[in-house]
C-alpha cells in the first residue's frame, strides 16, 4: 500500500475537463495534498475495427485519480515506454521517471458492440502486480467500466474504496423569462452523463437515494402544495407517497429501502418526524413536540433517526430510536446545527453549522464528539457523504449562484464542480453501484 | 412597501362602494374664500370632478389590500403595524366566506428543510390571527416554500428582509 503522509500545505491544481458530450460541461478545481503520489497511466492499446476506442479509458482513469487530489499522473511525454501489456513493463524505466505505480491496459473489440477492457496495476518499487482485471463493456457503459477500473486502482493504492463509479443527484433552479424552472438531475460523480429526471415550475427539494440506487425520493411543490414522490430512475415512473395537508418534506430511505422517514406538518403546521411505510402508505409518528422537528435521517444500522429540532430554542441535532422513545440531544457546540447526515460507516455526523455567522459544513466524530468545520463559504448547505465515508459533497455559493463542492472528510482535499447550469443545490451522493 | 397608501385607496374604494352611483349634490355650500382680495394668493375651486362609479366589491382578490406580510429575522411574530392588515383580510374572509392560501417564506440562510419549518411557522402565525378573528380553519390553507421562492435574489440584509414573508392569495 502506497500512502504518502498528508501535509497540511495545500497545492492548487486546476483541471479543466473537456468533455466530448455537449450536455456535460464540468470544470473541476482541486485543492489537494501538497505531495500527491506520482503515478503513470499509460495510454491503453486498442484492437478493434474503428480507428479509435469508443472511450479513452486511460484518460478517464487519469482524470479520476488526478481529481481525487491524492495522485499526480505524469504527462504522456515523460513516459520512456508505453507498454499495453504487463509483460512489457520495464520497472527500471519507471523507477527512473519517479512514479510509484504504473497502469497499463488495452481495449479489445470482440463483437459489434462488445469489448473487453483489461488493465494491470504495478508497484514500481516492489516490482510486482497489485491488481489485474478484465471486464466486458459496450460503447454505452465503457465510461462506467473505466470508472470501475479507477475505483479498483484507487482502493489498491490508498486502502480506501473508490467512488468514481458512483452518481450524484442534485436540483437546479434556472431563472427564465417565464419564471423559474426547477430540475432534478442525476449524473456520474464527475459530472458526465447528466440526465434530467424531472422538471417543474414549482420547487423541487430534498432528493434522497434508495439504498439500491434505483430510486429517488423527492419533494415537489407542483400544484402549489408539497408532496413526496418516489421515482424509479430507469423507467421514469413515479408514485406519490405522501400528500397530506401542510408540510410533506425531508424524505430519507431506511437502510432496507422499505420505509421513508419524512416530515409532516399537518393542518396546524407543527412539523414532526414520521416513519412512512412505502408500500402500505401507513405512517407512524415519532416526535410530538411543538417545535420544528425535521430533516430526519436513518443511522446506517437502522436503529436511530437523527433529526433537526429547535425545541431548545435554535436548531440542534437530536436522535430518537427508530422504534420510538425519548429524543436525545447530540450537538451542543454553537447556536445552529441542522440537516444531519451520517457517514455510511456510522462513525461521523455531517451537518450545517453556524460558524461565527457563516453557515458551513461541519463533521462531528460521534465517538470523540469533536466538531471539524470543513467548508469555507458563507452559505454552505446540504452535506452528503460519499458511500466510502471519505468524501462529502455539499452546495456553496459562487457569484450568487449555487455550485457544488466536495471535500475529503479530513478537510484537506477540496474540489469545486461548476456545471454551468445556473443555481445548483442539494447534491446527494448515491450508494455504491450494485455490482460491488 | 407602500401598502399604507394602497390601504387608504382601498378604504376610499370601500366607502365609495357603499354610496349610490348617482352624483351627490354638495350638502352644505359655504363661502370658502380665504384672506384679502388684494392678496397675491389666489384660490381655485376644485369642482366635483367626474363622479365616481361605484359598486359592491366582490372581487375575490381582495381589491387592493396589501397581500404580503413581512417578518423580522428568526421571527414568526406579525409586526404591530401589520396586524391591521391581517384584520382587514379577516373581515374580508368573514364577509365573503371565501378561501385563502397563506404561503410562508424564509430567507436563504441555513438549511432548506428547516427553513420550510420557519416559513410554515410564519404562515401559521397569520392563520392563527385570522382564526381568532372568526375565519374558519376550513377557509385557510397554508403552504411553506421555505427559501425556495425568493423575491429578492441577492444576499444582503435588505434582500433577506424582503424574502421573509407570508403571501396571501385568495383562491376563490
Amino acid at each position: 500500500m502506497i500512502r504518502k503522509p498528508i501535509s497540511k500545505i495545500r497545492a492548487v491544481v486546476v483541471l479543466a475537463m473537456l468533455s466530448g458530450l455537449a450536455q456535460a460541461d464540468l470544470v473541476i478545481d482541486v485543492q489537494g495534498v501538497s505531495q500527491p503520489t506520482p503515478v503513470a497511466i499509460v495510454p491503453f492499446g486498442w484492437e478493434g475495427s474503428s480507428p479509435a476506442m469508443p472511450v479513452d479509458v486511460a484518460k478517464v482513469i487519469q482524470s479520476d485519480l488526478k481529481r481525487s487530489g491524492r495522485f499526480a499522473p505524469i504527462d504522456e511525454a515523460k513516459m520512456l515506454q508505453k507498454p499495453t501489456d504487463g509483460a512489457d513493463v520495464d520497472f527500471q524505466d519507471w523507477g527512473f521517471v519517479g512514479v510509484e505505480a504504473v497502469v497499463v491496459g488495452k481495449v479489445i473489440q470482440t463483437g459489434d458492440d462488445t469489448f473487453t477492457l483489461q488493465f494491470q496495476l504495478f508497484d514500481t518499487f516492489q516490482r510486482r502486480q497489485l491488481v489485474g482485471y478484465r471486464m466486458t463493456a459496450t460503447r454505452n457503459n465503457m465510461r462506467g467500466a473505466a470508472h470501475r477500473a479507477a475505483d479498483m486502482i484507487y482502493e489498491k493504492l490508498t486502502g480506501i474504496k473508490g467512488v468514481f463509479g458512483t452518481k450524484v443527484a442534485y436540483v437546479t433552479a434556472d431563472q427564465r423569462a417565464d419564471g423559474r424552472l426547477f430540475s432534478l438531475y442525476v449524473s456520474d460523480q464527475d459530472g458526465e452523463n447528466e440526465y434530467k429526471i424531472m422538471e417543474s415550475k414549482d420547487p423541487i427539494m430534498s432528493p434522497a437515494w434508495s439504498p439500491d440506487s434505483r430510486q429517488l425520493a423527492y419533494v415537489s411543490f407542483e400544484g402549489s402544495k408539497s408532496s413526496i414522490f418516489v421515482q424509479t430512475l430507469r423507467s421514469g415512473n413515479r408514485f406519490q407517497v405522501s400528500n397530506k395537508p401542510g408540510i410533506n418534506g425531508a424524505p430519507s430511505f431506511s437502510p432496507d429501502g422499505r420505509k421513508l422517514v419524512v416530515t409532516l406538518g399537518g393542518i396546524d403546521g407543527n412539523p414532526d418526524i414520521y416513519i412512512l411505510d412505502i408500500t402500505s402508505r401507513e405512517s407512524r409518528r415519532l416526535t410530538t413536540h411543538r417545535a420544528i422537528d425535521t430533516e430526519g435521517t436513518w443511522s446506517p444500522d437502522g436503529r436511530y433517526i437523527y433529526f433537526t429540532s429547535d425545541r431548545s430554542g435554535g436548531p440542534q441535532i437530536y436522535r430518537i430510536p427508530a422504534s420510538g422513545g425519548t429524543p436525545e440531544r447530540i450537538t451542543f457546540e454553537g447556536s445552529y446545527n441542522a440537516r444531519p447526515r451520517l457517514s455510511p460507516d456510522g462513525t461521523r455526523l455531517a451537518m450545517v453549522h453556524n460558524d461565527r455567522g457563516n453557515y458551513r459544513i461541519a463533521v462531528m466524530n460521534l465517538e470523540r464528539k469533536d466538531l471539524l468545520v470543513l467548508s469555507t463559504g458563507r452559505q454552505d448547505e446540504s452535506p452528503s457523504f460519499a458511500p466510502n465515508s471519505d468524501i462529502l459533497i455539499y452546495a456553496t455559493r459562487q457569484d450568487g449562484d449555487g455550485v457544488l463542492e466536495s471535500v475529503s472528510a479530513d478537510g484537506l482535499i477540496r474540489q469545486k464542480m461548476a456545471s454551468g447550469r445556473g443555481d445548483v443545490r442539494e447534491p446527494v451522493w448515491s450508494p455504491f453501484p450494485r455490482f460491488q | 412597501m407602500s401598502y399604507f397608501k394602497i390601504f387608504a385607496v382601498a378604504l376610499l374604494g370601500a366607502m365609495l362602494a357603499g354610496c349610490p352611483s348617482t352624483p351627490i349634490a354638495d350638502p352644505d355650500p359655504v363661502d370658502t374664500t380665504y384672506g384679502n382680495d388684494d392678496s397675491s394668493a389666489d384660490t381655485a375651486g376644485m369642482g366635483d370632478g367626474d363622479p365616481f362609479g361605484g359598486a359592491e366589491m366582490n372581487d375575490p382578490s381582495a381589491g387592493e389590500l396589501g397581500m404580503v406580510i413581512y417578518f423580522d429575522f428568526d421571527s414568526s411574530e406579525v409586526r404591530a403595524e401589520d396586524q391591521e392588515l391581517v384584520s382587514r383580510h379577516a373581515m374580508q374572509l368573514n364577509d365573503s366566506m371565501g378561501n385563502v392560501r397563506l404561503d410562508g417564506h424564509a430567507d436563504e440562510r441555513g438549511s432548506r428543510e428547516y427553513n420550510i419549518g420557519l416559513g410554515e411557522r410564519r404562515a401559521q402565525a397569520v392563520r392563527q390571527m385570522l382564526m381568532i378573528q372568526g375565519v374558519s380553519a376550513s377557509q385557510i390553507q397554508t403552504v411553506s416554500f421555505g427559501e425556495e421562492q425568493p423575491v429578492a435574489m441577492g444576499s444582503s440584509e435588505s434582500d433577506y428582509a424582503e424574502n421573509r414573508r407570508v403571501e396571501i392569495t385568495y383562491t376563490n
Side-chain angles (χ1 to χ4, degrees), chain A residues 234-341:
Chain A
R234 183 185 287 264
S235 65
N237 293 337
R238 64 174 195 168
F239 51 97
Q240 195 178 56
V241 294
S242 184
N243 184 30
K244 300 211 160 61
I247 295 172
N248 296 267
S252 177
F253 278 92
S254 62
D256 66 6
R258 291 184 188 158
K259 296 173 192 134
L260 290 171
V261 58
V262 299
T263 300
L264 300 178
I267 193 161
D268 293 323
N270 174 23
D272 274 312
I273 304 289
Y274 289 73
I275 288 177
L276 178 69
D277 186 291
I278 294 170
T279 314
S280 72
R281 310 284 157 85
E282 280 166 20
S283 58
R284 179 163 56 86
R285 190 173 187 165
L286 266 193
T287 66
T288 53
H289 202 279
R290 58 189 293 273
I292 295 171
D293 291 343
T294 188
E295 302 178 327
T297 186
W298 248 280
S299 63
D301 62 10
R303 288 173 61 206
Y304 292 98
I305 305 293
Y306 285 71
F307 64 100
T308 306
S309 176
D310 64 358
R311 57 187 63 202
S312 68
Q316 294 291 342
I317 293 162
Y318 293 73
R319 76 172 186 185
I320 186 170
S323 54
T326 309
E328 169 194 0
R329 184 167 165 178
I330 301 296
T331 55
F332 292 91
E333 196 170 322
S335 60
Y336 190 110
N337 294 297
R339 222 271 191 178
R341 285 294 180 272

Side-chain angles (χ1 to χ4, degrees), chain A residues 181-197:
Chain A
L181 183 71
F182 294 85
S183 307
L184 177 54
Y185 285 95
V186 172
S187 79
D188 291 352
Q189 56 81 43
D190 60 1
E192 297 285 336
N193 291 324
E194 192 179 52
Y195 286 99
K196 184 185 281 198
I197 70 155

